[in-house]
């Protein structure tokens, strides 16, 4: 095809706004379906022979996500998102399950090692494919768009909104322990539906953090970093108070580590229940990979943040648990709804319990920020592939964030909050699906190693193939255990996943049209 057969030649300056003109370093530009080659004297020329070509060129002008997050921000996302309220609460549940300090520690170690194995695997995947959406990208490239869409469907429609709702309600309940906030339980209206001040505060918290993430990932990253450091300082302070302040108080000391709780569930079932509790406390390390498209030097910073972040959390969890057990005997831990608060209260009284409650509130606020930040990137990635509503693929031209996806995620979360207690059941439904996709996403490392042996891998995980294989096998065992013991919710979780198939079929047909 010669020059005369081309419909027209357009200067790039006619299409790109002056402030967004890309730097073209080529001396000549040739149309892929033409033998014609044109010198780029004025600025640069492109042969536009079809409307598809023009659309393709315009697609390059779309605003993209900005890589504004450094290694410190990335590490704060890992640490800050993982540490929520779990470490302050689950020691009680774990003691009820296993009945001894030694087995509680074993569960913490096994859960930490398993999470670390998952982080090692995700470090290789994230460095290899540092794109927005994280797990969605890995599942898509390994197993195709159908499986990837079902993951994104479950994550965006159920898991993330329910997670946001759970976090903000937990935040309100903690704040409600302070006398000044005792009015949270009071109703504002009773008809046509019930609405309390606590729900208003929960909704406001979800909106506030969503707005922060809307205004820029750098702002959200700075918030995450500053308050994660504060969170870590509070946790270390709790540890110091427990070990340094107990002194000669009756019932405290190293002898507590040999104590037992006679009413424990015990056995394999008890240990598995305790392990599930630890994994819930460790949950959130995968969120970093969802913002992989906004991390500077991702081939370096993603592995560092994942490995260092999960290791840091593991150390903090063991220290807090040790501090609690140093102050409280096994029976007291099993009977306490908030072991960390009660341990500090033994030493500092009511004031100490308030310190822990304030720390829990800050902890949940940071977890909320990380959850909202990561959640908006999954629907954005799906929409960019053409399998979801196109509006969700748009990036804000000024703030460089997936603004529409963040707004829709906030709306879904608020809807769950207005439903009252129903969102808690939805969150339980998502747990089975969550671990199913953890297992599937981790397994993609085997696919990529086999299918793309020579592909660039900035970070090659330690222990391959044993480490990811252990993670996949243990995840499979947990799925079997969860399905057996929570089979109604697990079955509903499967139905939630499969409910995405008609929507995928619709968007797939629309994409082909």
């Amino acid at each position: 095809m010669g020059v005369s057969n081309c419909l027209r030649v357009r200067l790039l300056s006619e299409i790109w706004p002056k402030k967004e003109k890309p730097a073209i370093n080529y001396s000549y530009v040739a149309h892929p379906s033409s033998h014609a080659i044109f010198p780029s004297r004025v600025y640069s020329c492109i042969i536009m022979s079809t409307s598809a070509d023009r659309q393709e060129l315009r697609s390059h002008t779309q605003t993209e996500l900005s890589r504004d997050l450094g290694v410190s921000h990335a590490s704060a996302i890992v640490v800050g998102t993982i540490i929520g309220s779990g470490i302050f609460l689950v020691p009680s549940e774990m003691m009820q399950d296993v009945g001894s300090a030694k087995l509680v520690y074993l569960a913490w170690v096994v859960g930490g090692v398993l999470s670390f194995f998952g982080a090692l695997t995700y470090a290789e995947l994230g460095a290899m494919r540092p794109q927005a959406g994280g797990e969605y990208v890995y599942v898509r490239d390994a197993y195709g768009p159908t499986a990837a869409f079902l993951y994104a469907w479950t994550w965006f429609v159920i898991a993330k909104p329910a997670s946001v709702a759970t976090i903000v309600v937990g935040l309100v309940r903690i704040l409600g322990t302070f006398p000044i906030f005792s009015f949270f339980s009071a109703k504002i209206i009773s008809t046509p539906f019930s609405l309390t001040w606590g729900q208003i505060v929960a909704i406001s918290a979800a909106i506030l953090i969503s707005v922060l993430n809307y205004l820029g990932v750098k702002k959200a990253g700075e918030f995450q970093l500053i308050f994660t450091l504060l969170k870590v300082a509070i946790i270390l302070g709790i540890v110091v108070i427990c070990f340094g302040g107990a002194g000669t108080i009756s019932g405290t000391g190293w002898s507590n580590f040999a104590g037992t709780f006679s009413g424990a569930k015990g056995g394999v079932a008890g240990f598995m229940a305790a392990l599930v509790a630890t994994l819930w406390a460790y949950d959130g390390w995968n969120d970093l990979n969802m913002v992989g498209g906004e991390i500077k030097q991702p081939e370096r910073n993603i592995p560092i943040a994942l490995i260092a972040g999960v290791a840091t959390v593991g150390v903090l969890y063991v220290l807090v648990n040790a501090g609690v057990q140093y102050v409280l005997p096994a029976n007291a831990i099993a009977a306490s709804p908030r072991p960390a608060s009660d341990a500090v209260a033994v030493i500092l009284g009511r004031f100490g319990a308030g310190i822990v409650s304030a720390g829990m509130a800050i902890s949940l606020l940071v977890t909320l920020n990380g959850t909202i930040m990561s959640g908006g990137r999954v629907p954005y990635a799906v929409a960019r592939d053409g399998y979801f509503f196109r509006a969700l693929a748009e990036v804000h031209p000024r703030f460089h964030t997936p603004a529409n996806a963040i707004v829709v995620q906030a709306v879904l979360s608020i809807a769950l909050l207005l439903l009252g207690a129903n969102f808690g059941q939805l969150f339980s439904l998502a747990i089975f699906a969550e671990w199913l996709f953890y297992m599937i996403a981790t397994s993609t490392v085997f696919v990529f190693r086999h299918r793309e042996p020579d592909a660039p891998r900035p970070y090659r995980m330690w222990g391959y193939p044993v480490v990811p294989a252990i993670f996949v096998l243990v995840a499979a065992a947990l799925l079997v255990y969860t399905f057996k013991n929570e089979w109604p919710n697990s079955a509903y979780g499967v139905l939630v996943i499969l409910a995405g198939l008609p929507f995928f079929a619709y968007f797939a047909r629309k994409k082909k049209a």
Side-chain angles (χ1 to χ4, degrees):
M1 181 184 294
V3 178
S4 58
N5 293 327
C6 295
L7 296 178
R8 63 178 66 121
V9 178
R10 288 190 177 181
L11 291 174
L12 285 177
S13 56
E14 295 178 15
I15 298 177
W16 263 287
K18 291 182 179 180
K19 293 183 179 179
E20 298 182 3
K21 289 181 182 178
I24 303 294
N25 297 320
Y26 302 105
S27 299
Y28 297 88
V29 181
H31 190 278
S33 62
S34 170
H35 297 292
I37 299 178
F38 298 88
S40 53
R41 292 182 184 178
V42 179
Y43 180 67
S44 195
C45 297
I46 288 184
I47 308 301
M48 304 291 290
S49 59
T50 66
S51 60
D53 293 327
R54 291 190 291 274
Q55 181 63 34
E56 181 179 359
L57 182 58
R58 289 191 185 96
S59 69
H60 290 296
T61 70
Q62 292 180 348
T63 306
E64 298 292 335
L65 301 176
S66 299
R67 293 193 179 274
D68 290 331
L69 299 174
V71 67
S72 59
H73 301 110
S75 300
I77 291 172
V78 176
V79 175
T81 304
I82 293 177
I83 303 177
S85 62
I87 183 54
F88 303 101
L89 304 176
V90 297
S92 174
E93 180 182 341
M94 293 172 68
M95 187 62 74
Q96 294 171 14
D97 290 329
V98 296
S100 73
K102 293 179 180 178
L103 290 178
V104 167
Y105 266 108
L106 180 60
W108 278 117
V109 171
V110 172
V113 170
L114 182 61
S115 299
F116 191 72
F117 283 0
L120 288 173
T121 308
Y122 274 51
E124 176 171 322
L125 294 171
M128 186 181 181
R129 283 173 162 77
Q131 302 169 31
E135 293 159 326
Y136 165 78
V137 175
Y138 316 148
V139 176
R140 178 199 66 194
D141 292 353
Y143 302 121
T146 304
F149 180 86
L150 292 179
Y151 158 81
W153 158 264
T154 306
W155 208 248
F156 181 58
V157 176
I158 300 295
K160 279 298 181 180
S163 182
V164 170
T166 301
I167 294 168
V168 294
V169 167
L171 174 65
V172 168
R173 287 174 179 169
I174 291 169
L175 292 177
T177 62
F178 293 93
I180 193 175
F181 298 124
S182 59
F183 66 92
F184 281 179
S185 59
K187 290 184 179 181
I188 301 174
I189 58 173
S190 299
T191 56
F193 58 90
S194 177
L195 184 65
T196 66
W197 282 108
Q199 285 175 289
I200 293 296
V201 174
I203 291 171
S204 299
I207 292 174
L208 177 65
I209 300 300
S210 295
V211 169
L212 175 65
N213 280 270
Y214 185 100
L215 295 177
V217 72
K218 185 64 177 294
K219 291 182 175 64
E222 293 290 351
F223 177 92
Q224 188 79 7
L225 177 58
I226 293 170
F227 282 91
T228 294
L229 291 174
L230 179 58
K231 175 193 294 194
V232 172
I234 292 174
I235 291 174
L236 292 176
I238 292 172
V239 174
V240 170
I241 291 171
C242 288
F243 281 108
T248 58
I249 297 176
S250 176
T252 65
W254 296 108
S255 60
N256 286 339
F257 289 85
T260 59
F261 171 60
S262 58
K265 182 184 298 184
V268 175
F271 185 79
M272 289 296 292
L275 181 59
V276 170
T278 64
L279 292 174
W280 174 69
Y282 275 106
D283 193 34
W285 50 265
N286 61 311
D287 282 18
L288 175 67
N289 292 53
M290 299 180 196
V291 295
E294 293 153 282
I295 297 175
K296 300 174 184 177
Q297 296 180 278
E299 69 284 350
R300 169 185 176 271
N301 291 337
I302 289 179
I304 290 175
L306 278 170
I307 295 170
V310 173
T312 299
V313 171
V315 171
L316 291 174
Y317 278 5
V318 169
L319 288 175
V320 170
N321 195 75
V324 170
Q325 290 190 342
Y326 185 82
V327 175
L328 298 177
N331 288 334
I333 293 174
S336 173
R338 291 184 294 272
S341 294
D342 289 347
V344 177
V346 168
I347 301 168
L348 299 180
R350 187 174 178 180
F351 173 75
I355 291 176
V356 177
S357 295
M360 290 173 66
I362 292 173
S363 182
L364 284 174
L365 199 62
V366 181
T367 299
L368 177 63
N369 184 61
T371 300
I372 289 176
M373 183 192 303
S374 60
R377 273 64 186 175
V378 173
Y380 159 81
V382 184
R384 275 287 171 110
D385 286 346
Y387 292 107
F388 217 32
F389 299 105
R390 187 179 299 275
L392 298 180
E394 295 180 4
V395 175
H396 196 284
R398 178 182 175 186
F399 303 126
H400 296 272
T401 55
N404 292 339
I406 292 173
V407 170
V408 173
Q409 177 179 255
V411 170
L412 292 174
S413 302
I414 292 170
L416 292 182
L417 288 167
L418 292 175
L419 290 175
N422 292 337
F423 74 87
Q425 185 178 3
L426 291 175
F427 185 70
S428 298
L429 299 182
I431 291 177
F432 178 84
E434 181 177 294
W435 270 94
L436 174 63
F437 284 112
Y438 279 171
M439 181 182 71
I440 293 173
T442 300
S443 71
T444 62
V445 73
F446 297 107
V447 177
F448 297 139
R449 286 284 188 112
H450 175 72
R451 185 189 297 167
E452 306 170 18
D454 299 324
R457 286 179 172 80
Y459 171 78
R460 298 179 72 90
M461 66 174 296
W462 170 85
Y464 179 88
V466 176
V467 166
I470 291 175
F471 185 92
V472 170
L473 290 174
V474 174
L478 283 172
L479 287 171
V480 173
Y481 170 81
T482 304
F483 197 90
K484 179 181 177 181
N485 290 273
E486 299 286 343
W487 70 266
N489 284 336
S490 298
Y492 292 146
V494 173
L495 293 177
V496 167
I497 296 173
L498 297 178
L501 286 173
F503 293 92
F504 173 76
Y506 167 77
F507 285 109
R509 286 195 302 268
K510 188 175 181 181
K511 182 179 180 180
K512 291 180 180 179

